[in-house]
Amino acid sequence: MTDRSPRPASPLLPLLLALLAACAALLGPAAGVSSAAEYRYWSFWKGGADGWAYQQVGPAGNVPADGAVDGWRFALSPDGGQDAPRPGPAPDFAAICADTAPGSGHKRVAVVLDFGTAQDAPGGEQPPAVRSVCASVPTAANSAEVLAAVAAPLRYDSGAMLCAISGYPHAGCGEQVAAGANTGSTGGSSGGGTSDGGPSVGLYAGVGAVVLLGAGAVWQARRRRATR
């Protein structure tokens, strides 16, 4: 007669599930750390009746019309687009250029310069106060030329990326910063981590130990079955 009594459940499945959970716990936080990064840079905006809109072209490619408002904001942001912090002051051309008379062959462009907060600043630097100025420039001037007329000195990198307005910041250019950090670092390693914010050597060692334990458990389970 066939024995239909239930066999005891193998302890192997619960053990493997526990090992998988341990791997997920080790890798989960590391994945979040490696993707959590921000960039410190000058963002470019255009002002209108509805407020600020992210400028879709660079300052050298944008030729503002008479009565336009260019906005600049230095900030930490995870991307280079719509989610970046906007300039604080409103884009009010009439108020900014009220004391600047129009001239023949020239146009007036209001420029808002928001140097950001102390949290945005590279380590050891203090952001200047927000200011708004009116540029009177030749009609064909682009936004880069408008900015140079009212906010020198400007600093660019070798790829023509704008790094500093009115000399701020003194160093750095679009560097990546770990989210929540304010170290002014350009990617150097910090205690216990890697230079790119990825998983540490200790993390990989822990995962390796979990894998070895799992392999040992499988081997022992097969050995027990073979000796029965």
Side-chain angles (χ1 to χ4, degrees), residues 128-217:
V130 176
R131 67 176 186 264
S132 300
V133 292
C134 187
S136 179
V137 294
T139 305
N142 59 35
S143 289
E145 294 167 327
V146 170
L147 186 63
V150 296
L154 306 179
R155 177 168 56 86
Y156 291 87
D157 69 3
S158 59
M161 179 178 179
L162 180 62
C163 306
I165 295 177
S166 294
Y168 180 83
H170 299 304
C173 193
E175 64 269 25
Q176 181 175 319
V177 182
N182 185 28
T183 63
S185 170
T186 57
S189 61
S190 58
T194 61
S195 59
D196 61 357
S200 66
V201 174
L203 173 61
Y204 288 121
V207 174
V210 169
V211 172
L212 289 176
L213 288 173

Side-chain angles (χ1 to χ4, degrees), residues 7 10-13 217-228:
R7 295 181 180 179
S10 171
L12 182 58
L13 180 58
V218 172
W219 178 81
Q220 289 181 1
R222 289 179 176 176
R223 184 182 179 187
R224 285 195 297 266
R225 287 198 299 269
T227 57
R228 288 179 182 175

Side-chain angles (χ1 to χ4, degrees), residues 9-149:
S10 171
L12 182 58
L13 180 58
L15 177 59
L16 289 178
L17 291 176
L19 292 173
L20 288 174
C23 287
L26 287 170
L27 291 174
V33 170
S34 63
S35 63
E38 297 177 318
Y39 296 87
R40 182 181 282 122
Y41 67 101
W42 278 101
S43 59
F44 182 32
W45 303 81
K46 58 181 178 181
D50 296 329
W52 294 108
Y54 190 76
Q55 184 61 267
Q56 299 297 323
V57 297
N62 182 65
V63 180
D66 181 75
V69 184
D70 282 354
W72 294 91
R73 169 67 193 267
F74 188 77
L76 282 172
S77 175
D79 67 1
Q82 298 288 350
D83 293 333
R86 290 162 168 72
D92 190 341
F93 173 82
I96 297 171
C97 289
D99 297 330
T100 303
S104 178
H106 279 64
K107 63 185 176 184
R108 295 173 299 163
V109 179
V111 181
V112 174
L113 304 173
D114 189 336
F115 295 85
T117 66
Q119 184 178 0
D120 300 326
E125 296 200 47
Q126 182 66 32
V130 176
R131 67 176 186 264
S132 300
V133 292
C134 187
S136 179
V137 294
T139 305
N142 59 35
S143 289
E145 294 167 327
V146 170
L147 186 63

